[in-house]
């Protein structure tokens, strides 16, 4: 079957290891099911895999891709939850597709049967394929780990990225007052179109301190994120695209104002089910930057690596 896969890894030049070509079709496995992929979306996790982060040499070649929507063995339209193992699948260690198991950038993917959820009819395959990683991460950050409620205020750092875009759209739809930042004026305008009350340049002073901050940028925005929180507020972090060593950790402010710092990774099957229902019922749709056929996957990777995206790149099979 045709697939996009990591043939080797290179931290400095990750795209050098990306190959497009034939790979073995997944073999049947007890308790697992095979999904015929209709659409899959790119995540920064795929670039990190090509760098060798979370992907060991003994697992190569590895088909990339965490997210997918398609058709199961019984002809049902489904969405794949990409977190494998942990509490839901016995003793197998918790991982994400492409770390230990072949991913979704292929004609077919095999996952535990419990990792397949019904796709709402209201969502297209392309839209549904955007949800299981970036959008699920944003959903968990907002509603599980930040614990915000309608009327609360949230700052989303780095508008344009997949998680940040999702957080703006989901937060706005849930009745939050969302503020956003971006270095790019066009992305700031798009953030407001998505529902942000206002979008600012990084480091700008907000009209008031917020209840929560959604942080995926890391070192470059960390100090600003901490300073924007009200007393007792919550900073939720799920990534550090600018590095994980900020110049100013703001430890005094964190303990003096009794701030909460919460790490967040992906989300549970139940949270993905809730997210799918929320999007279907509230009319929320993922922001898609571009849809490409799988054989043009390299173009999508190059665009993501260059940082020119607003929303998701989706690959169709």
């Amino acid at each position: 079957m045709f697939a996009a896969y990591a043939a080797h890894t290179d931290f400095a030049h990750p795209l050098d290891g990306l190959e497009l070509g034939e790979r073995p079709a997944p073999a049947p496995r007890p308790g697992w099911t095979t999904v015929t992929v209709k659409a899959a979306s790119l995540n920064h996790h795929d670039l990190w895999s090509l760098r060798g982060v979370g992907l060991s040499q003994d697992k190569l070649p590895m088909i990339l891709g965490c997210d997918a929507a398609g058709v199961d063995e019984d002809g049902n339209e489904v969405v794949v939850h990409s977190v494998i193992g942990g509490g839901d699948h016995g003793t197998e260690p918790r991982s994400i597709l492409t770390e230990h198991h072949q991913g979704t950038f292929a004609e077919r993917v095999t996952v535990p049967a419990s990792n397949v959820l019904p796709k709402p009819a209201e969502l297209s395959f392309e839209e549904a394929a955007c949800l299981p990683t970036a959008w699920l991460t944003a959903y968990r950050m907002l509603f599980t780990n930040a614990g915000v409620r309608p009327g609360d205020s949230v700052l989303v750092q780095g508008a344009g990225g997949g998680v940040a875009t999702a957080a703006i759209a989901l937060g706005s739809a849930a009745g939050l007052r969302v503020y956003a930042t971006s270095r790019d004026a066009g992305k700031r305008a798009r953030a407001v179109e998505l529902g942000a009350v206002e979008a600012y340049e990084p480091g700008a002073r907000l009209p008031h301190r917020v209840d929560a901050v959604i942080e995926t940028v890391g070192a470059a925005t960390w100090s600003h994120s901490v300073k924007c929180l009200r007393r007792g507020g919550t900073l939720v972090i799920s990534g550090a695209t600018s590095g994980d060593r900020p110049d100013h950790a703001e430890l005094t402010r964190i303990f003096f104002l009794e701030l909460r710092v919460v790490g967040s990774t992906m989300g549970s099957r139940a949270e993905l089910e809730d997210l799918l229902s929320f999007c279907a019922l509230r009319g929320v749709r993922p922001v898609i930057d571009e849809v490409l056929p799988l054989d043009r996957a390299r173009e999508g990777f190059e665009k993501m690596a260059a940082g020119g995206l607003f929303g998701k790149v989706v690959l169709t099979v």
Side-chain angles (χ1 to χ4, degrees), residues 38-39 41 69 123-131 286 288 291 314 316:
K38 297 295 186 182
S41 68
L123 298 175
S124 69
F125 284 113
E126 291 82 2
E127 291 166 342
C130 296
L131 299 180
I288 296 176
V291 178
V314 177
T316 55

Side-chain angles (χ1 to χ4, degrees), residues 146-167:
V148 288
R149 297 294 181 265
D152 286 348
S153 56
V154 175
L155 169 63
V156 178
Q157 298 279 22
V163 174
T165 302

Side-chain angles (χ1 to χ4, degrees), residues 125-190:
F125 284 113
E126 291 82 2
E127 291 166 342
C130 296
L131 299 180
T133 296
W135 280 66
L136 178 58
T137 296
Y139 186 91
R140 180 177 178 85
M141 291 176 79
L142 283 168
F143 305 120
T144 301
N145 288 327
V148 288
R149 297 294 181 265
D152 286 348
S153 56
V154 175
L155 169 63
V156 178
Q157 298 279 22
V163 174
T165 302
I168 294 168
L170 290 170
S172 174
L176 305 176
R177 287 177 292 158
V178 180
Y179 301 97
T181 67
S182 175
R183 293 174 297 178
D184 184 271
K187 291 182 179 181
R188 293 196 295 270
R190 291 287 301 277

